[in-house]
């Protein structure tokens, strides 16, 4: 899979996690709902880290091509 495809996939995961976070915030304050929120927040952070990693890899590849 290409780097750009990895970035797109991670962005999709991030958008889904953001949707889940918004839904959890609208719900009642319960332990179950807070767990859903925390799991969605974790997924969001992981996807964001993946995007950062793949973007760095993409920049590295482009710099290597220029060299």
């Amino acid at each position: 899979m290409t780097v750009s495809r990895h970035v797109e996939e991670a962005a999709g995961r991030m958008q889904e996690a953001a949707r889940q976070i918004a839904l959890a915030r609208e719900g009642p304050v319960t332990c179950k709902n807070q767990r859903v929120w925390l799991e969605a927040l974790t997924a969001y952070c992981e996807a964001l880290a993946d995007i950062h990693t793949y973007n760095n890899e993409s920049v590295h590849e482009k710099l290597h091509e220029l060299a």
Side-chain angles (χ1 to χ4, degrees), residues 3-54:
V3 173
S4 62
R5 182 68 188 133
H6 282 293
V7 171
E8 290 173 12
E9 182 182 295
R13 289 185 292 137
M14 193 169 91
Q15 288 175 341
E16 175 59 23
R19 186 187 68 78
Q20 291 175 356
I21 290 168
L23 289 174
R25 289 184 68 183
E26 292 173 2
V29 179
T30 62
C31 286
K32 181 181 178 183
N33 202 33
Q34 288 180 343
R35 181 176 178 90
V36 169
W37 173 80
L38 185 57
E39 289 172 352
L41 185 60
T42 300
Y44 185 92
C45 291
E46 288 173 346
L48 186 60
D50 287 347
I51 288 171
H52 179 72
T53 300
Y54 293 131

Side-chain angles (χ1 to χ4, degrees), residues 58-67:
S58 177
V59 168
H60 179 73
E61 286 179 357
K62 289 175 184 168
L63 288 174
H64 186 59
E65 287 175 12
L66 288 173

